[in-house]
Amino acid sequence: QVQLQESGPGLVKPSQTLSLTCTVSGGSITADYSYWSWIRQPPGKGLEWIGDIAYSGSTSYSPSLESRTSIFMDTSKSQFTLQLRNVTPEDTAVYYCASQLGDWGQGTQVTVSS
């Protein structure tokens, strides 16, 4: 069974870049799944799709976040990384990585605060 685990700092200062890495195990990041996703849930709100990356490296981002978002993949490490630039306190959320088939990481809390 494929497993996903998010990692990265839990606290980021405003205007800095939020960087999270998802490590995939139990499956091939390039052969078993076509794309991988980042999703977040701000406190008291619903899930928000951030973006996807295909194993080819092609990306797709939420229009509301596209200008600040980059997702890239390191197939040699079975990892893909989210970068969200110029963060504000409104970016505080639990961040999840997920596969196209509905496999989810456990989520990681990221707080944007000075």
Side-chain angles (χ1 to χ4, degrees), residues 1 38 45 65-66 80:
Q1 186 176 35
W38 284 100
K45 298 183 178 180
L65 299 172
E66 184 174 13
F80 60 103

PDB file of all heavy atoms in Angstrom, residues 1 38 45 65-66 80:
ATOM      1  N   GLN A   1       0.843  -1.180   0.000  1.00  0.00           N
ATOM      2  CA  GLN A   1       0.000   0.000   0.000  1.00  0.00           C
ATOM      3  C   GLN A   1       0.885   1.239   0.000  1.00  0.00           C
ATOM      4  O   GLN A   1       1.823   1.331   0.786  1.00  0.00           O
ATOM      5  CB  GLN A   1      -0.925   0.004   1.208  1.00  0.00           C
ATOM      6  CG  GLN A   1      -1.940   1.133   1.201  1.00  0.00           C
ATOM      7  CD  GLN A   1      -2.896   1.051   2.369  1.00  0.00           C
ATOM      8  OE1 GLN A   1      -2.509   0.636   3.467  1.00  0.00           O
ATOM      9  NE2 GLN A   1      -4.125   1.443   2.147  1.00  0.00           N
ATOM     10  N   TRP A  38      -1.175  18.532  -3.920  1.00  0.00           N
ATOM     11  CA  TRP A  38      -1.117  19.197  -2.626  1.00  0.00           C
ATOM     12  C   TRP A  38      -2.476  19.826  -2.340  1.00  0.00           C
ATOM     13  O   TRP A  38      -3.061  20.474  -3.219  1.00  0.00           O
ATOM     14  CB  TRP A  38      -0.032  20.273  -2.592  1.00  0.00           C
ATOM     15  CG  TRP A  38       1.356  19.726  -2.459  1.00  0.00           C
ATOM     16  CD1 TRP A  38       2.273  19.556  -3.439  1.00  0.00           C
ATOM     17  CD2 TRP A  38       1.982  19.289  -1.243  1.00  0.00           C
ATOM     18  NE1 TRP A  38       3.435  19.035  -2.933  1.00  0.00           N
ATOM     19  CE2 TRP A  38       3.286  18.862  -1.579  1.00  0.00           C
ATOM     20  CE3 TRP A  38       1.576  19.217   0.098  1.00  0.00           C
ATOM     21  CZ2 TRP A  38       4.182  18.360  -0.624  1.00  0.00           C
ATOM     22  CZ3 TRP A  38       2.465  18.720   1.038  1.00  0.00           C
ATOM     23  CH2 TRP A  38       3.748  18.300   0.670  1.00  0.00           C
ATOM     24  N   LYS A  45     -12.216  25.996   7.891  1.00  0.00           N
ATOM     25  CA  LYS A  45     -12.621  26.020   6.498  1.00  0.00           C
ATOM     26  C   LYS A  45     -12.500  24.635   5.873  1.00  0.00           C
ATOM     27  O   LYS A  45     -11.983  23.700   6.483  1.00  0.00           O
ATOM     28  CB  LYS A  45     -11.788  27.031   5.712  1.00  0.00           C
ATOM     29  CG  LYS A  45     -11.938  28.466   6.193  1.00  0.00           C
ATOM     30  CD  LYS A  45     -11.145  29.429   5.331  1.00  0.00           C
ATOM     31  CE  LYS A  45     -11.327  30.859   5.780  1.00  0.00           C
ATOM     32  NZ  LYS A  45     -10.554  31.806   4.932  1.00  0.00           N
ATOM     33  N   LEU A  65      -3.972  30.640  -6.302  1.00  0.00           N
ATOM     34  CA  LEU A  65      -2.647  30.471  -5.725  1.00  0.00           C
ATOM     35  C   LEU A  65      -1.550  30.356  -6.766  1.00  0.00           C
ATOM     36  O   LEU A  65      -0.372  30.309  -6.412  1.00  0.00           O
ATOM     37  CB  LEU A  65      -2.615  29.229  -4.831  1.00  0.00           C
ATOM     38  CG  LEU A  65      -3.558  29.223  -3.626  1.00  0.00           C
ATOM     39  CD1 LEU A  65      -3.553  27.854  -2.965  1.00  0.00           C
ATOM     40  CD2 LEU A  65      -3.154  30.301  -2.636  1.00  0.00           C
ATOM     41  N   GLU A  66      -1.917  30.308  -8.018  1.00  0.00           N
ATOM     42  CA  GLU A  66      -0.977  30.004  -9.088  1.00  0.00           C
ATOM     43  C   GLU A  66       0.237  30.927  -9.104  1.00  0.00           C
ATOM     44  O   GLU A  66       1.365  30.468  -9.334  1.00  0.00           O
ATOM     45  CB  GLU A  66      -1.695  30.065 -10.432  1.00  0.00           C
ATOM     46  CG  GLU A  66      -0.847  29.671 -11.618  1.00  0.00           C
ATOM     47  CD  GLU A  66      -1.654  29.610 -12.893  1.00  0.00           C
ATOM     48  OE1 GLU A  66      -2.800  30.106 -12.903  1.00  0.00           O
ATOM     49  OE2 GLU A  66      -1.146  29.054 -13.882  1.00  0.00           O
ATOM     50  N   PHE A  80       8.016  14.787  -3.931  1.00  0.00           N
ATOM     51  CA  PHE A  80       7.625  15.999  -4.627  1.00  0.00           C
ATOM     52  C   PHE A  80       7.424  17.103  -3.603  1.00  0.00           C
ATOM     53  O   PHE A  80       7.032  16.860  -2.471  1.00  0.00           O
ATOM     54  CB  PHE A  80       6.398  15.798  -5.534  1.00  0.00           C
ATOM     55  CG  PHE A  80       5.141  15.341  -4.851  1.00  0.00           C
ATOM     56  CD1 PHE A  80       4.114  16.242  -4.599  1.00  0.00           C
ATOM     57  CD2 PHE A  80       4.954  14.012  -4.490  1.00  0.00           C
ATOM     58  CE1 PHE A  80       2.932  15.828  -4.007  1.00  0.00           C
ATOM     59  CE2 PHE A  80       3.777  13.589  -3.891  1.00  0.00           C
ATOM     60  CZ  PHE A  80       2.769  14.501  -3.649  1.00  0.00           C
TER      61      PHE A  80
END
